[in-house]
Amino acid sequence: MAGNTGEEIRNVAIAGHSGSGKTMLAEALLLKGGVLNRLGQVTDGTTAGDYDIDEKDAQKSYYSAVLHTNWKGRDINFLDTPGSLDFSGQLYGALSVVELALITVNAASGIEIGTRKAWELARQQGVPCMFVVTRMDAEQADFDGVVEALKETFGNACTPLMLPHGSGSSFEGVVNLLHPGEVPDALQDTVEEQRGELMESVISGDDELLERYLEGEEISSEELEDIFTQVLVDGTIVPILCCASEKDIGVTELLDLLAAYAPSPAYAKKEVEGEAGVEDYELDLDGPLSAEVFKTISDEFVGKISFIRVYSGSLKSGDTVTQAQTGKSVKLGKIFRPQGKEQQDSGEAGPGAIVATAKVDELQIGDTLSSSKNQKPFVTPKYPLPMVSRAVNPKSRGDEAKISEGLRRLAESDPTFTVEMNGLTKELVISGIGEQHIGLMLNRLQRRGVEVTTKLPRIAYRETIAGKSEVRYRHKKQTGGAGQFAECAIRIEPSERGEGYAFVDKIFGGVISGPFRQSVDRGIQEKMLEGIMAGYPVVDLKVELFDGKEHPVDSKDIAFQIAGREAIKEAVMKAQPVLLEPIVKLEVFIPSKYMGDITGDISSRRGRVIGMDGLGDLQVVHAEVPYSEVQQYSAFLQSVTGGEGTYSIEFLRDEVLPQHLAEGVIASSKTEQEGE
């Protein structure tokens, strides 16, 4: 790889629904390129892409794998990504560093939720796409039906670039419409018709060729090929290919097309945060080093491994680079080229290269690396918000430090997995995309020798008031020696939601000296933080300290703190106290056939449907729902839609919890406190 200009490199993500044949396709491509000797070559039942112990046990992909092969002078990197929505964060990272996405579609199953997700994310990140209709040898394979569905769902730019010869057990081969070669008699008419449509689609992306075509001039295949990559990048055409990986039908033709038309690193696009917001970054392949860390893993033998995409300049083992986000210098270790779990010496990596380095703890996902101190950080993809949470506790006493360190390392390698000590509920809470995601992380933690118990986290309720009150409280304590004396009078009233706490000093004439007024304020805030009704923080109220008394000998800071605590406790209980519950914005993506089930369920969860949108044959339901009602929504949606639905949640605001529900929360909280 030393000294390459990037022109021979092609970077391709393989994406699609779980079970659509992504990993088998990647294996077939490597087999054809001479990297493997047979499909599933790696020992212990794993594949070149699925080699992690979790993947081996489940026989499915959980992580993206970096693979590569050479074909007709091209050095092609493949990023094989998982299809499960629980692990979609891996796809976000992969798409951020490639110039093409191959989206696999099962010939028998057709478009599935993972197909839509891959398309949506690729479009968001500006990555051109090709669809690959896989498993054409399946008995229920329906290429024409899949093509029609792709056109209907993703637009008429979706156009066959290959046609199958037969299907199911009679699937014999494919025809490349740009170079049909010898066409079977049964396909002559279809090839001629589809080739005409393909030509029109390609030509429509170039004004000069389109004008000549409309004037009746014949356009040569060479002219079509010259502009094919550009119209692919522009989205004028979304080619549809087909193959049967296990039977090695269509694999050679697919590699030929990638070598000929997949965009080179010269087509890479990156953005940076400018003074006026996000702006395009002009990449110069021959310029100084610019690179991005897009993935990290924690290997039990090697340590931390960081995967890097080089955009310009070159990178060598032992280089010292600048982290653009921090401005700090970082010395890299040995640079190697990943081939699944294998490591190959890289030497020098040039533009377009995907390499890795080990044991550099400073590197994080999203880091921009440069040889220049002036490099602006690249904008990283906005990863999906984690939606399923669990509170965790150690099974064994004394494992708290182990838990924290283990979870920290897991979170470092997965932007969609978060760890937080909730300041309101005092619980250590982990969050992930779904139940399967959480389960995988806990399995990995257990393999590190740390076992935990989990439960649904407490809802972060808050307390506030709906009315006004006035209280005078005297604290007096005499124990033989110096006593304690403090008296304060306060008025409270609610503030606007979200305004928080306000303390107003209305003392006149010095009945309480300045330092003791601060003591009252401190005591009030401490009690508000502890909670009064149910042990949740008190928010959004205004407190006026308007009168009081002090004693020349017995008054002291602690006395006025106690007076403040007791005064606010009485005042809140007299001012119509209420509980606030968090309300979230819920967006549910489902096929239309589930619309009634979903909207009815939202209403049963005290939610409000506030709008609906169409997205191809998908429906998007927008709703506002109490968070307590959707803590286990992932399992419900999976059950109702059979895995075809997905959703997102985002905090909106706090609202008053209905009284009959608040009584249950208060009773439960008191029981918990008594049991502690």
Side-chain angles (χ1 to χ4, degrees):
M1 292 176 63
N4 81 66
T5 62
E7 180 55 40
E8 69 271 29
I9 293 178
R10 299 294 183 267
N11 293 312
V12 181
I14 303 179
H17 192 77
S18 182
S20 63
K22 298 181 301 301
T23 299
M24 186 57 68
L25 174 61
E27 290 255 306
L29 294 168
L30 265 60
L31 176 65
K32 184 61 64 175
V35 175
L36 302 180
N37 296 322
R38 58 183 175 82
L39 295 181
Q41 168 179 307
V42 183
T43 58
D44 299 327
T46 62
T47 66
D50 294 345
Y51 52 84
D52 182 88
I53 186 172
D54 296 306
E55 295 175 317
K56 184 176 73 172
D57 290 345
Q59 294 293 293
K60 64 188 298 186
S61 301
Y62 290 142
Y63 312 103
S64 61
V66 181
L67 308 163
H68 61 88
T69 192
N70 289 290
W71 190 259
K72 294 191 173 178
R74 303 300 189 204
D75 189 356
I76 308 176
N77 293 312
F78 293 106
L79 274 67
D80 180 24
T81 66
S84 170
L85 296 180
D86 272 28
F87 306 100
S88 58
Q90 299 288 315
L91 178 57
Y92 280 72
L95 287 173
S96 71
V97 295
V98 298
E99 284 75 59
L100 179 67
L102 286 182
I103 303 178
T104 55
V105 185
N106 188 312
S109 305
I111 295 174
E112 299 171 276
I113 190 68
T115 319
R116 302 185 188 99
K117 189 67 174 179
W119 168 266
E120 176 189 329
L121 295 182
R123 303 310 271 184
Q124 284 177 6
Q125 298 197 39
V127 179
C129 299
M130 290 183 178
F131 287 106
V132 184
V133 182
T134 58
R135 297 181 171 163
M136 282 297 303
D137 54 334
E139 285 308 313
Q140 301 300 318
D142 182 5
F143 180 79
D144 292 340
V146 172
V147 169
E148 284 306 308
L150 290 172
K151 287 177 176 287
E152 182 180 344
T153 305
F154 305 119
N156 288 325
C158 298
T159 307
L161 180 54
M162 282 184 188
L163 287 182
H165 180 201
S167 66
S169 58
S170 62
F171 181 50
E172 299 179 8
V174 299
V175 176
N176 177 346
L177 291 177
L178 282 177
H179 296 285
E182 187 174 337
V183 179
D185 292 342
L187 285 179
Q188 290 285 352
D189 293 342
T190 305
V191 168
E192 185 175 344
E193 178 186 347
Q194 291 293 324
R195 178 171 161 76
E197 290 185 11
L198 174 67
M199 289 181 63
E200 290 184 7
S201 296
V202 175
I203 290 168
S204 68
D206 185 281
D207 292 341
E208 181 184 344
L209 288 186
L210 180 60
E211 183 176 347
R212 288 169 49 197
Y213 178 75
L214 293 176
E215 290 175 354
E217 186 175 338
E218 184 175 343
I219 307 299
S220 68
S221 295
E222 290 75 14
E223 288 177 297
L224 289 179
E225 292 180 40
D226 286 343
I227 66 168
F228 196 91
T229 299
Q230 189 60 56
V231 296
L232 171 65
V233 170
D234 293 340
T236 303
I237 183 172
V238 180
I240 303 173
L241 319 177
C242 58
C243 69
S245 301
E246 291 187 77
K247 290 190 175 180
D248 187 23
I249 302 176
V251 178
T252 299
E253 291 82 354
L254 196 160
L255 275 170
D256 287 345
L257 291 169
L258 291 178
Y261 308 119
S264 74
Y267 287 89
K269 297 177 182 178
K270 298 305 289 184
E271 295 177 325
V272 294
E273 286 286 354
E275 295 180 1
V278 175
E279 56 188 39
D280 291 335
Y281 178 77
E282 188 172 340
L283 285 168
D284 178 6
L285 300 187
D286 298 323
L289 171 70
S290 65
E292 180 179 5
V293 180
F294 68 94
K295 170 184 168 73
T296 67
I297 62 174
S298 181
D299 186 275
E300 58 182 313
F301 301 109
V302 181
K304 185 175 185 178
I305 300 176
S306 302
F307 294 76
I308 303 169
R309 159 71 195 263
V310 180
Y311 286 97
S312 63
S314 64
L315 192 65
K316 298 187 292 295
S317 296
D319 274 355
T320 296
V321 298
T322 298
Q323 279 178 313
Q325 281 82 354
T326 64
K328 294 180 180 179
S329 295
V330 177
K331 183 175 177 59
L332 302 181
K334 183 178 180 180
I335 298 296
F336 59 87
R337 193 173 186 193
Q339 180 72 287
K341 69 176 180 179
E342 305 298 328
Q343 302 171 9
Q344 303 171 352
D345 288 345
S346 175
E348 181 178 354
I354 293 178
V355 293
T357 189
K359 300 179 181 178
V360 186
D361 288 340
E362 299 95 322
L363 295 183
Q364 305 294 333
I365 292 175
D367 277 353
T368 301
L369 308 181
S370 176
S371 56
S372 168
K373 296 284 186 181
N374 299 320
Q375 173 74 48
K376 293 180 179 178
F378 294 142
V379 174
T380 56
K382 186 178 180 182
Y383 286 88
L385 294 172
M387 292 169 288
V388 175
S389 299
R390 293 291 182 270
V392 298
N393 287 294
K395 271 190 176 180
S396 303
R397 296 184 63 181
D399 273 355
E400 288 82 358
K402 284 185 180 180
I403 287 179
S404 297
E405 176 62 17
L407 291 176
R408 181 187 69 80
R409 289 190 174 276
L410 291 176
E412 269 188 358
S413 63
D414 189 343
T416 64
F417 178 75
T418 62
V419 184
E420 176 191 24
M421 176 58 73
N422 191 309
L424 297 179
T425 64
K426 306 297 187 292
E427 291 177 318
L428 182 62
V429 178
I430 60 173
S431 301
I433 298 297
E435 303 283 355
Q436 195 177 14
H437 187 199
I438 291 288
L440 177 69
M441 290 306 196
L442 292 177
N443 285 342
R444 294 181 64 186
L445 187 66
Q446 185 175 1
R447 288 207 306 273
R448 293 174 183 268
V450 182
E451 292 193 54
V452 298
T453 60
T454 64
K455 63 178 182 178
L456 287 177
R458 294 177 67 198
I459 302 297
Y461 294 108
R462 299 170 191 261
E463 302 176 12
T464 192
I465 56 174
K468 302 178 180 181
S469 69
E470 181 177 309
V471 165
R472 180 179 293 271
Y473 185 85
R474 173 177 289 186
H475 173 67
K476 186 175 181 180
K477 185 177 181 182
Q478 197 72 36
T479 56
Q484 293 182 6
F485 179 88
E487 184 177 311
C488 64
I490 61 172
R491 298 188 188 97
I492 66 171
E493 62 182 50
S495 302
E496 292 294 325
R497 190 76 65 239
E499 283 191 5
Y501 166 73
F503 180 78
V504 182
D505 185 350
K506 287 290 186 71
I507 295 293
F508 294 101
V511 293
I512 304 179
S513 57
F516 291 154
R517 298 176 208 173
Q518 295 175 12
S519 300
V520 173
D521 182 19
R522 188 156 53 248
I524 289 172
Q525 291 194 58
E526 287 177 356
K527 187 59 185 175
M528 287 175 59
L529 189 60
E530 292 175 7
I532 294 170
M533 276 196 302
Y536 296 100
V538 182
V539 298
D540 300 337
L541 76 162
K542 176 181 176 182
V543 178
E544 287 186 3
L545 175 63
F546 68 91
D547 197 11
K549 290 181 182 179
E550 63 179 72
H551 187 277
V553 176
D554 293 343
S555 288
K556 46 183 65 77
D557 170 65
I558 187 62
F560 276 95
Q561 284 193 49
I562 293 172
R565 289 174 60 91
E566 295 303 317
I568 193 65
K569 180 178 177 181
E570 287 188 16
V572 165
M573 295 307 293
K574 290 172 60 178
Q576 303 173 45
V578 294
L579 280 182
L580 298 175
E581 65 174 338
I583 304 296
V584 297
K585 177 173 70 175
L586 173 68
E587 291 186 340
V588 190
F589 300 79
I590 47 168
S592 301
K593 58 187 176 182
Y594 300 115
M595 179 66 75
D597 293 329
I598 297 304
T599 55
D601 176 74
I602 287 172
S603 297
S604 73
R605 296 174 186 265
R606 299 189 289 125
R608 300 187 294 270
V609 175
I610 58 176
M612 302 178 194
D613 292 320
L615 184 65
D617 61 342
L618 271 183
Q619 291 293 319
V620 186
V621 180
H622 305 274
E624 295 180 0
V625 191
Y627 178 60
S628 61
E629 301 285 352
V630 291
Q631 275 190 295
Q632 301 186 76
Y633 196 71
S634 175
F636 163 79
L637 193 61
Q638 169 77 20
S639 172
V640 169
T641 68
E644 290 190 89
T646 183
Y647 74 105
S648 67
I649 57 175
E650 183 179 340
F651 174 76
L652 277 178
R653 61 182 177 276
D654 287 321
E655 285 187 1
V656 174
L657 181 68
Q659 183 61 32
H660 69 284
L661 296 176
E663 290 172 358
V665 172
I666 293 169
S668 176
S669 178
K670 288 181 177 178
T671 300
E672 285 185 18
Q673 291 173 15
E674 290 169 358
E676 292 177 353

